Amino acid sequence: MSDKLHGKVAVVTGASSGIGEATALALASVGAQVALVARRTDRLEALVKRISESGGQAISIVADVADDAQAHDMILKTKDAFGRVDILVNNAGVMLLGQIDGADTEDWRRMVNTNVLGLMYATHAALPIMKAQGEGHIVNISSVAGRLAQAGSGVYNATKWAVGGFSEALRQEVHNDKIRVTIIEPGAVATELTDHITNPEAKQRVKTWVQSLTPLESEDIAAAIVYAVTQPLRVNVNEILIRPTDQ
Ligand code: NDP
């Protein structure tokens, strides 16, 4: 444990697996008190235990970020528990790949509601608290898919493009309030993300592609997030693009 973030409070959405789980562990290991948000209670409870056993402090909050009321409530619950909200890592997301023609539009709603609106709702809830504190940091997880569009990824691309546009406008609106905004853009990371794809061909195609690489580990992304949020207040790391070497 180090104490770089001692006294700071972080909310990590999508903390029940993958990048969010690794980020919660990494933030706790540098002294932040962490609120872990996702829908799978058992995973969150196990992570709270792990963080507590290694000397950190965490709470679990079961919430669906795609629900405006639940997303707001998770931020308020964090403030109630720890007294502040310094860092919000908007990480919860789904990548339901497939061609646009013939797609199941329920996949589109899930992606837009989680990857875009969920991130916006949480940000909306955190801003008044961060403004009152006189500082804050919002870290939005985009993707290489927020920079490069590909056939078979149109709506996922659209959601991550939205994250980029929203984040830059937000940065311009709140930098005078000492609120920093960072976009993290990972390439392929070995997580459960592809398991949730509903289109069998798209799922197989992306799994085969990931297996052809040495993908990043979730900890690699967590380290980039820790880097961004531990810089002096004068430094706003705007954007970090990280790909596996062989991608
Ligand atoms: P995982 O599937 O391992 O993690 C996704 C997390 O999001 C889970 O904790 C899941 O928890 C949570 N989640 C999903 N929907 C909701 C919801 N409606 N409300 C609350 N939590 C939700 O994938 P990753 O760790 O890979 O993904 C994390 C982020 O990284 C995503 O935004 C993804 O787009 C992005 N990313 C991932 C890349 C990769 O290659 N893996 C590359 C680039 C970006 P639960 O189901 O318990 O709610």
Side-chain angles (χ1 to χ4, degrees), residues 13-21 37-41 43-44 63-67 90-95 110 113-115 141-145 156 159-160 184-196 209-210 215 218 221:
T13 69
S16 61
S17 63
I19 295 169
E21 179 178 354
V37 178
R39 295 163 303 175
R40 285 171 293 179
T41 317
R43 297 277 201 108
L44 294 180
D64 179 346
V65 297
D67 180 287
N90 279 312
N91 164 78
V94 285
M95 180 183 74
R110 283 179 59 200
N113 290 342
T114 310
N115 304 2
I141 310 303
S142 178
S143 171
V144 168
Y156 184 65
T159 66
K160 294 303 188 180
I184 306 285
E185 297 160 324
V189 187
T191 70
E192 298 173 13
L193 193 69
T194 56
D195 297 348
H196 305 293
W209 174 71
V210 173
S218 295
I221 308 304

Side-chain angles (χ1 to χ4, degrees), residues 2 11 16 68 70 73 85 99 123 128 136 145 147 170 179 203 232 240:
S2 86
V11 180
S16 61
D68 193 357
Q70 292 183 44
D73 198 43
V85 178
Q99 302 273 333
T123 301
R147 284 180 167 232
L170 176 67
I179 299 173
K203 187 176 190 170
I240 305 181

Side-chain angles (χ1 to χ4, degrees), residues 149-183:
Q150 261 194 314
S153 177
V155 178
Y156 184 65
N157 285 134
T159 66
K160 294 303 188 180
W161 240 273
V163 171
F166 178 76
S167 300
E168 174 54 17
L170 176 67
R171 188 193 67 75
Q172 292 176 24
E173 289 184 16
V174 299
H175 70 102
N176 285 331
D177 299 295
K178 304 278 180 240
I179 299 173
R180 293 178 282 180
V181 180
T182 300
I183 310 170

Side-chain angles (χ1 to χ4, degrees), residues 221-237:
I221 308 304
I225 294 170
V226 170
Y227 166 76
V229 301
T230 54
Q231 297 307 302
L233 191 54
R234 67 178 180 277
V235 180
N236 185 358
V237 177

Side-chain angles (χ1 to χ4, degrees), residues 39-56:
R39 295 163 303 175
R40 285 171 293 179
T41 317
D42 51 337
R43 297 277 201 108
L44 294 180
E45 286 306 327
L47 188 57
V48 167
K49 192 161 175 271
R50 227 173 124 192
I51 290 173
S52 308
E53 283 171 359
S54 49

Side-chain angles (χ1 to χ4, degrees), residues 1 12 20-30 34 36 47 50-51 54 219:
M1 297 277 293
V12 180
E21 179 178 354
T23 300
L25 282 163
L27 293 173
S29 77
V30 291
V34 188
L36 315 172
L47 188 57
R50 227 173 124 192
I51 290 173
S54 49
E219 290 72 18

